[in-house]
């Protein structure tokens, strides 16, 4: 019946780029070879057809069908390739269920008008979606599809393939969810939400208005001075003195993220207040009600699956698209990240394989809408779930998963097997409190590390702490998102499903299995679901082979490729273990007697916290402030002293690996550039090492320095602009260039090139570099090199540096 009925039809499908939608398209193309499909997809930048080709038809779900076409051609039974079949049977239409009228143009509406059936599977399925997003798609989406079907019927001038006359709308099969029943216990029958005694009477139109208004309110709040000040503080905590453009961009990212988080929390709170586990179930429930009120003469059937998981058999066992609900939780458990997870061990985890859901939808579509004895139609509901007929207990699932990963452990980055925890099935509140305590401890540790001037391998402790915080955030997210489903004790009734199942002949039952009793849970979990999870999560199931080339070596090889065009270097803590304070101390103490040397050293040590704070706040302001100490210093004398400082300070503090790296770039034919906030007189002796040097310059009057810079020092965004201007001048492609730096203040420069390298990175840059997969180098001084905290220049009998008031600087 199913194949024969569907073979004569043209079927419109929304949500075909998603997990369920892709499975629907595959099954219809394979099992109803004469039907035609109209796929309504959001077009993207390259159009609807490109998305259909890339996001649907190239999916591995179609490997079986593609292979059958190749086999038929090879056997001489057919000349039509898979791609040719898709061109003949599949029409793509640009549309969006989140837009009134679906955003269809005349051609799209005309294509929809030729359809006999519309399967609406598009949804915002994320359990943590923003409230207004869920409202637009899940609540209003079904009604918009029904409205589009009415409009399409009015413009139809000919009968459809099955003889549907002009003016008669297509049959709408709307995919909902069993969880529209809310967080109830006991039986949840196949009835419209309007008829349920558990449904709270709310005005869905008011909910739409309030959700849209909430977005406006949060957008306005996010722009208040108090909120923006908090966001700027957080941006500075993450990036440090990265410069105004980088910080401004981060503030805007954080602002948008804050608004999204508030909208997610608003959805969760509103759903919980009405007895739903999340905004997904809440908006799906209201979507059913809105559809019932606005459908007009569109015949409607509603199919409610429970939690859809990997395929039992079709198109192949274990097929899945993306992470569903179970995969991220199981993967986190296998990696040892979820020490506890809430749930009721006697409760039911109501999951259903995707191919059983597809079979149910197609059986409903083939059956057509239901009518009473007087010929009147009312929307009917069919639920497809496992808990009422073949329950999988939560405790049984945990036992199966634990046994499987005990026998087949996941391996960590050190090739050691990960021991999985024993869950004690606590409540959500207890687990959430445990995670909050752990997060507070990590926050305290992070604040301590941020206050310390760590860099290099020590700074990576902060990066590891940040990663641990993210793991806790993910674990907390899983508890918030999925904990309610693990504690659910509703039993979804399947009376209509089994009535439909009983109407099928043996051939249909064999080809379109939808009976949950067919699932053997231990076999499904052990042989289907868990291998699929391992594949999707890319879990490391065996010790890694010892390879001769590490990831860092592979990146380093790309960095040193002959294809690179430019290598740009920072100086301080990148090529030398020194800074402007050390250079000044060396130059200033060179002409002081012992008591004055002691006084200057003590003064500099006392100023260290202030100087560090200024440097972290704004590197350019710090340099301007500090270089004023050179006021009234003789130009000729300071230039001569800088040459001597080269051998006494710069060379002894240099990193041999860094100097070799500069020379290696030059050997490869790369142009080399040093951009530094150090004074030009200090770095002038390094000029033979580079093709060009850009440094800070002080103005001079009558042979003495003024202590004032002639231009903005090349730090932060100014360093980025210097690099861009240099590349333009020398016709260099920055995508083929390398940048070396140590601080988050250098982030604009590092992000400008194709190959950024973090050298002896401070904590913030170390964290960013690890997240983004950049090359991280740890360069050190030669063994035995001096390690003076404040370098002191060798004494000379010439006078000290004095400022314009005559006092020693």
């Amino acid at each position: 019946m199913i194949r024969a009925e569907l073979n004569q039809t043209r079927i419109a499908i929304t949500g075909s780029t998603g997990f369920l939608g892709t499975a629907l398209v595959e099954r219809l193309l394979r099992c109803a070879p004469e039907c035609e499909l109209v796929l309504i997809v959001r077009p993207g930048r390259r159009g609807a057809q490109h998305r259909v080709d890339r996001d649907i038809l190239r999916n591995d779900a179609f490997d079986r069908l593609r292979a059958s076409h190749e086999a038929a051609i090879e056997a001489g039974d057919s000349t039509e390739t898979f791609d040719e079949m898709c061109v003949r049977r599949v029409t793509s239409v640009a549309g969006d269920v989140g837009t009134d009228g679906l955003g269809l143009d005349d051609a799209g509406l005309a294509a929809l008008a030729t359809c006999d059936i519309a399967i609406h599977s598009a949804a915002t399925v994320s359990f943590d979606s923003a409230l207004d997003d869920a409202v637009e798609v899940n609540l209003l989406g079904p009604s918009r599809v029904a409205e589009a079907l009415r409009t399409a019927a009015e413009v139809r001038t000919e009968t459809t393939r099955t003889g549907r006359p002009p003016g008669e709308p297509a049959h709408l099969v709307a995919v909902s969810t069993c969880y529209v029943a809310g967080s109830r216990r006991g039986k949840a029958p196949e009835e419209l939400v309007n008829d349920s005694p558990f449904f709270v009477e709310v005005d869905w139109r008011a909910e739409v208005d309030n959700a849209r208004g909430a977005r406006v309110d949060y957008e306005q709040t996010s722009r208040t001075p108090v909120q923006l000040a908090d966001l700027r503080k957080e941006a500075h905590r993450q990036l440090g003195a990265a410069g105004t453009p980088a910080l401004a961009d981060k503030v805007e990212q954080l602002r948008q993220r804050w608004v999204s988080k508030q909208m997610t929390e608003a959805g969760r709170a509103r759903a919980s207040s009405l007895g739903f586990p999340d905004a997904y179930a809440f908006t799906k429930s209201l979507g059913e009600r809105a559809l019932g009120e606005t459908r007009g003469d569109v015949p409607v059937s509603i199919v409610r699956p429970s939690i859809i998981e990997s395929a039992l058999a079709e198109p192949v066992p274990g097929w899945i698209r993306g992470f569903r609900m179970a995969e991220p939780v199981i993967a986190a458990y296998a990696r040892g990240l979820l020490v506890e997870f809430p749930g009721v061990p006697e409760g039911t985890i109501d999951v259903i394989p995707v191919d059983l859901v597809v079979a149910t939808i197609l059986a409903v579509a083939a059956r057509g809408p239901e009518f009473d004895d007087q010929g009147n139609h009312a929307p009917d509901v069919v639920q497809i779930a496992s808990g009422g007929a073949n329950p999988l207990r939560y405790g049984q699932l945990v036992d199966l998963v634990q046994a499987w990963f005990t026998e087949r452990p996941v391996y960590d980055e050190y090739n050691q097997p990960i021991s999985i925890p024993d869950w004690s099935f606590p409540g959500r509140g207890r687990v959430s409190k445990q995670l909050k305590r752990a997060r507070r401890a990590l926050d305290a540790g992070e604040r301590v590390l941020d206050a310390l001037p760590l860099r290099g391998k020590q700074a990576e402790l902060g990066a590891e702490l940040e990663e641990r915080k993210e793991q806790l955030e993910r674990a907390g997210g899983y508890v918030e998102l999925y904990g309610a489903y693990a504690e659910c004790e509703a039993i979804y009734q399947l009376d209509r499903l089994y009535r439909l199942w009983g109407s099928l002949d043996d051939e249909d039952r064999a080809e379109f299995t939808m009976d949950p009793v067919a699932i053997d849970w231990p076999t499904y979990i052990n042989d289907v679901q868990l291998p699929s999870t391992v594949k999707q999560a890319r879990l490391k199931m065996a010790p890694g082979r010892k390879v001769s080339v590490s990831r860092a070596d592979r990146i380093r090889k790309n960095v040193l490729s002959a294809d690179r065009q430019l290598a740009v270097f920072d100086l301080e803590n990148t090529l030398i273990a020194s800074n402007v304070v050390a250079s000044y101390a060396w130059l200033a103490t060179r002409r002081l007697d012992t008591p004055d040397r002691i006084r200057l050293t003590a003064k500099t040590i006392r100023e260290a916290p202030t100087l560090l704070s200024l440097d972290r706040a704004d590197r350019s302001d710090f340099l301007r402030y500090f270089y004023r100490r050179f006021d009234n210093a003789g130009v000729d004398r300071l230039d001569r002293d800088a040459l001597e400082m080269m051998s006494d300070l710069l060379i002894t503090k240099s990193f041999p690996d860094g100097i070799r790296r500069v020379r290696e770039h030059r050997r490869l034919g790369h142009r080399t550039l040093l951009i530094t906030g150090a004074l030009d007189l200090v770095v002038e002796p390094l000029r033979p090492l580079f093709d060009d040097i850009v440094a800070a310059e002080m103005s001079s009057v009558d042979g003495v320095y003024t202590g004032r810079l002639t231009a903005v020092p090349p730090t932060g965004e100014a360093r980025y602009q210097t690099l861009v201007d240099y590349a333009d001048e020398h016709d260099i492609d920055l995508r083929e260039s390398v940048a070396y730096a140590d601080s988050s203040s250098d982030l604009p420069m590092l992000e400008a090139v194709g190959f950024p390298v973090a050298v002896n990175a401070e904590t913030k840059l170390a964290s960013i570099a690890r997240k983004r997969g950049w090359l991280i180098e740890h360069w050190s001084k030669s063994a035995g090199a001096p390690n003076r905290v404040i370098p002191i220049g060798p004494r000379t009998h010439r006078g000290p540096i004095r400022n314009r008031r005559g006092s020693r600087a």
Side-chain angles (χ1 to χ4, degrees):
M1 177 195 78
I2 296 177
R3 178 190 290 261
E5 290 293 333
L6 296 180
N7 261 338
Q8 307 302 317
T9 61
R10 203 161 197 243
I11 303 172
I13 302 177
T14 68
S16 55
T17 59
F19 174 42
L20 177 60
T22 298
L24 280 166
V25 172
E26 189 278 336
R27 185 74 78 90
L28 283 166
L29 291 179
R30 178 165 53 85
C31 296
E34 296 177 28
C35 79
E36 296 178 359
L37 305 181
V38 175
L39 307 184
I40 301 173
V41 298
R42 285 182 294 177
R45 289 182 300 175
R46 300 179 64 178
Q49 187 60 50
H50 176 75
R51 286 205 68 198
V52 168
D53 292 339
R54 182 196 64 188
D55 297 341
I56 303 174
L57 300 178
R58 290 184 186 177
N59 188 273
D60 59 358
F62 296 89
D63 289 351
R64 174 178 174 181
L65 183 56
R66 187 176 283 106
S68 69
H69 274 265
E70 293 172 356
I73 292 172
E74 186 175 347
D77 297 332
S78 173
T79 60
E80 186 177 54
T81 66
F82 172 80
D83 291 337
E84 290 170 342
M85 179 273 294
C86 291
V87 170
R88 175 173 59 84
R89 296 178 58 193
V90 179
T91 300
S92 62
V93 170
D96 184 356
V97 299
T99 303
D100 288 341
L102 304 187
L104 298 176
D105 57 17
D106 291 343
L109 195 61
L112 184 61
T114 64
C115 295
D116 305 281
I117 300 168
I119 300 175
H120 174 52
S121 70
T124 297
V125 297
S126 174
F127 296 144
D128 61 345
S129 59
L131 175 59
D132 58 336
D133 291 340
V135 161
E136 294 295 338
V137 176
N138 297 343
L139 196 164
L140 294 175
S143 297
R144 287 175 173 143
V145 174
E147 179 187 10
L149 291 176
R150 288 198 304 274
T151 304
E154 292 170 0
V155 302
R156 186 192 306 133
T157 59
E158 299 178 356
T159 59
T160 64
R161 296 180 74 190
T162 59
R164 192 179 299 273
E168 183 178 316
H171 175 207
L172 172 58
V173 180
V175 181
S176 185
T177 174
C178 285
Y179 293 94
V180 298
S183 302
R184 70 169 69 180
R185 287 186 173 93
K187 295 181 179 180
E190 296 166 298
E191 60 186 9
L192 295 173
V193 292
N194 306 43
D195 301 328
S196 171
F198 295 94
F199 185 78
V200 179
E201 189 69 28
V202 294
D203 183 350
W204 62 266
R205 292 178 177 85
E207 297 298 323
V208 172
D209 292 339
N210 289 330
R212 290 170 174 171
R215 170 72 68 173
V216 174
D217 292 342
Y218 286 125
E219 286 285 350
Q220 291 176 343
T221 303
S222 73
R223 291 171 167 84
T224 60
V226 172
Q227 185 62 35
L228 290 174
D230 289 342
L231 295 175
R232 281 195 296 269
K233 183 178 179 180
E234 176 60 20
H236 194 273
R237 188 195 70 79
Q238 293 186 24
L239 299 184
T244 301
L247 288 171
D249 183 64
K250 174 57 71 172
V251 167
E252 180 58 18
Q253 291 178 24
L254 292 172
R255 188 195 67 78
Q256 294 178 9
R257 199 176 302 161
W258 181 86
V259 172
S260 296
K261 182 178 180 180
Q262 302 310 307
M263 290 302 298
T264 297
E265 291 298 328
R268 192 173 292 153
R270 183 56 175 150
S272 177
S273 72
L274 295 173
F276 293 95
D278 50 40
Y280 169 70
F282 165 55
T283 53
K284 276 289 192 178
S285 179
L286 290 184
E288 284 192 21
R289 180 164 191 168
L291 177 61
E293 292 182 12
T294 63
R295 68 180 182 85
D297 59 346
V298 176
V300 171
S301 298
I302 296 173
V303 176
R304 291 182 188 154
S306 56
I307 300 169
I308 307 176
E309 283 295 342
S310 56
L312 177 66
E314 302 281 347
V316 291
W319 177 81
I320 197 169
R321 180 166 190 169
F323 266 19
R324 312 320 302 167
M325 176 184 146
E327 286 75 23
V329 176
I330 291 173
Y333 172 73
R335 291 185 174 118
L337 302 179
L338 278 181
V339 179
E340 286 285 10
F341 198 77
V344 178
E346 299 84 8
T348 299
I349 293 294
D350 206 315
V351 298
I352 194 75
V354 65
D355 43 342
L356 273 66
V357 178
V358 169
T360 304
I361 292 171
L362 297 186
V364 169
R367 180 210 64 191
E370 288 197 331
F371 296 89
D372 59 23
D373 295 338
Q374 287 73 42
N376 299 317
H377 168 71
D380 64 290
V381 176
V382 176
Q383 293 181 163
I384 172 64
S386 60
N390 184 16
L392 171 64
R393 304 298 179 190
Y394 181 49
Q396 179 189 11
L397 172 63
V398 172
D399 290 343
L400 289 169
V401 173
Q402 185 178 43
W404 201 88
F405 281 108
T406 299
E407 184 179 344
R408 308 168 185 82
V410 174
Y411 285 78
D412 62 19
E413 58 185 313
Y414 304 106
N415 287 329
Q416 297 300 310
I418 298 173
S419 297
I420 52 177
D422 289 319
W423 284 353
S424 59
F425 305 105
R428 266 188 297 165
R430 177 181 157 193
V431 177
S432 295
K433 288 179 181 178
Q434 291 174 349
L435 293 172
K436 287 178 181 177
R437 285 196 297 268
R439 280 198 293 269
R440 283 197 295 268
L442 290 177
D443 285 339
E446 188 176 49
R447 285 193 295 271
V448 171
L449 290 178
D450 282 345
L452 299 174
L454 304 178
R455 60 177 57 254
K457 292 182 178 179
Q458 292 176 325
E460 290 202 40
L461 292 174
E464 292 173 2
L465 197 65
E466 184 71 23
E467 289 181 3
R468 181 60 181 163
K469 277 185 64 178
E470 290 179 357
Q471 290 172 356
L472 277 177
E473 290 293 336
R474 284 199 299 271
Y478 296 151
V479 171
E480 289 295 326
L481 294 177
Y482 307 132
Y485 291 88
E487 295 174 336
C488 180
E489 296 183 83
I491 303 299
Y492 304 108
Q493 301 301 287
L494 307 177
D495 298 337
R496 290 177 179 270
L497 175 77
Y498 277 115
R499 190 185 310 158
L500 179 61
W501 178 248
S503 69
L504 303 181
D505 58 27
D506 291 342
E507 185 178 347
D508 277 339
R509 290 189 177 193
E511 189 171 10
F512 298 95
T513 299
M514 64 182 78
D515 184 0
V517 176
I519 309 168
D520 177 72
W521 288 117
T523 300
Y524 176 76
I525 298 299
N526 290 327
D527 299 341
V528 178
Q529 179 65 31
L530 293 180
S532 174
T533 299
V534 166
K535 179 181 178 181
Q536 288 293 315
R538 299 181 180 180
L539 297 178
K540 184 179 178 183
M541 302 306 294
R545 293 176 298 172
K546 190 172 182 179
V547 293
S548 57
V549 181
S550 67
R551 181 177 180 277
D553 287 336
R554 291 195 299 271
I555 301 175
R556 194 174 293 114
K557 182 178 180 181
N558 285 329
V559 164
L560 294 172
S561 166
D563 295 333
R564 306 291 84 81
Q565 300 178 18
L566 170 69
V568 56
F569 292 83
D570 179 30
L571 179 64
E572 297 171 359
N573 296 307
T574 301
L575 294 177
I576 61 171
S578 186
N579 52 51
V580 297
V581 177
S583 299
Y584 170 79
W586 192 97
L587 293 168
T589 59
R590 182 163 167 70
R591 294 171 181 79
L592 297 181
D593 54 24
T594 299
D596 284 341
R597 286 181 172 216
I598 293 173
R599 279 192 289 272
L600 185 139
T601 300
K603 177 184 177 184
T604 304
I605 292 175
R606 287 197 304 272
E607 286 186 302
T610 300
L611 295 176
L612 181 61
S613 178
L614 282 172
D615 192 18
R616 286 182 170 181
D618 190 294
R619 179 69 172 170
S620 295
D621 289 346
F622 162 74
L623 292 177
R624 290 190 185 96
Y625 167 81
F626 193 80
Y627 286 153
R628 291 194 181 102
R629 298 167 188 241
F630 287 97
D631 179 24
N632 208 34
V635 172
D636 292 339
R637 190 174 65 194
L638 209 56
D639 289 353
R640 287 194 302 270
D641 288 348
L643 284 172
E644 188 172 339
M645 187 175 66
M646 169 72 178
S647 59
D648 188 69
L649 178 64
L650 299 187
I651 290 181
T652 59
K653 291 273 191 176
S654 68
F655 303 135
D657 288 336
I659 303 302
R660 280 192 288 269
R661 182 62 57 84
V662 178
R663 289 173 173 163
E664 178 67 7
H665 279 292
R666 297 198 74 174
R667 185 189 68 80
L668 291 166
H670 307 158
R671 198 172 187 91
T672 55
L673 171 66
L674 175 67
I675 304 180
T676 176
L679 291 171
D680 58 343
L681 64 95
V682 172
V683 299
E684 182 61 28
L686 297 175
R687 189 166 293 280
L689 195 59
F690 298 93
D691 290 300
D692 293 288
I693 293 178
V694 178
E697 297 180 11
M698 283 190 301
S699 62
S700 61
V701 177
D702 297 331
V704 295
Y705 285 113
T706 65
R708 297 175 182 174
L709 298 180
T710 61
V712 177
T715 62
E717 63 268 29
R719 180 170 294 184
Y720 159 80
Q721 192 59 52
T722 297
L723 174 60
V724 171
D725 293 343
Y726 185 89
D728 289 342
E729 180 183 351
H730 295 88
D731 194 25
I732 290 172
D733 184 356
L734 289 179
R735 292 172 299 180
E736 293 294 337
S737 300
V738 187
Y740 296 83
D742 71 294
S743 170
S744 61
S745 65
D746 300 308
L747 201 57
M749 180 181 75
L750 292 167
E751 291 178 331
V753 300
F755 300 88
V757 183
V759 180
N760 301 334
E762 45 80 41
T763 304
K764 290 182 177 64
L765 182 60
S767 177
I768 293 169
R770 281 170 67 107
K771 288 178 183 177
R772 300 186 184 181
W774 293 353
L775 177 62
I776 298 175
E777 299 283 21
H778 300 292
W779 294 340
S780 58
K781 298 181 296 183
S782 296
N787 195 28
R788 293 167 290 180
V789 176
I790 298 182
I792 298 176
R795 287 191 60 185
T796 178
H797 297 292
R798 295 186 291 273
I801 296 176
R802 294 180 182 272
N803 61 29
R804 292 184 185 275
R805 293 181 297 276
S807 60
R808 291 183 176 89

